[in-house]
Amino acid sequence: SFAGYDTYNAYLQSPHWKEVRAKALDAADHKCMLDSNHNGGTLHVHHNNYERLGAEELSDLIVLCGSCHRKFHGK
């Protein structure tokens, strides 16, 4: 289950996720947490784990630039 949503992508479109994502971005001061030289571009809020999906704590998330997010996924 994805916090009561049919798919993970549906969850990512939910008002709840948008609120959690905004809190994570604010906590990270809208900067990539791994690349202090990151300038511009879309920031991604990556789940470190899915244990509390739907009830995430900020420690479950990391804010990354696209380049660092791809590295996390080995791309």
Side-chain angles (χ1 to χ4, degrees):
S1 169
F2 299 100
Y5 293 87
D6 292 337
T7 66
Y8 183 62
N9 282 336
Y11 174 64
L12 295 180
Q13 299 303 313
S14 73
H16 170 77
W17 171 249
K18 289 178 182 178
E19 182 179 323
V20 170
R21 183 179 185 280
K23 287 180 183 175
L25 288 168
D26 285 345
D29 199 26
H30 292 262
K31 295 178 182 167
C32 178
M33 295 171 77
L34 296 181
D35 181 1
S36 60
N37 294 318
H38 171 72
N39 293 317
T42 300
L43 289 170
H44 303 241
V45 179
H46 172 82
H47 281 87
N48 291 321
N49 65 71
Y50 298 95
E51 294 170 14
R52 289 184 281 260
L53 192 68
E56 295 91 347
E57 295 180 9
L58 289 179
S59 62
D60 298 326
L61 307 168
I62 185 170
V63 174
L64 302 169
C65 64
S67 176
C68 286
H69 198 191
R70 284 188 293 279
K71 289 176 193 169
F72 252 77
H73 290 284
K75 296 179 183 174

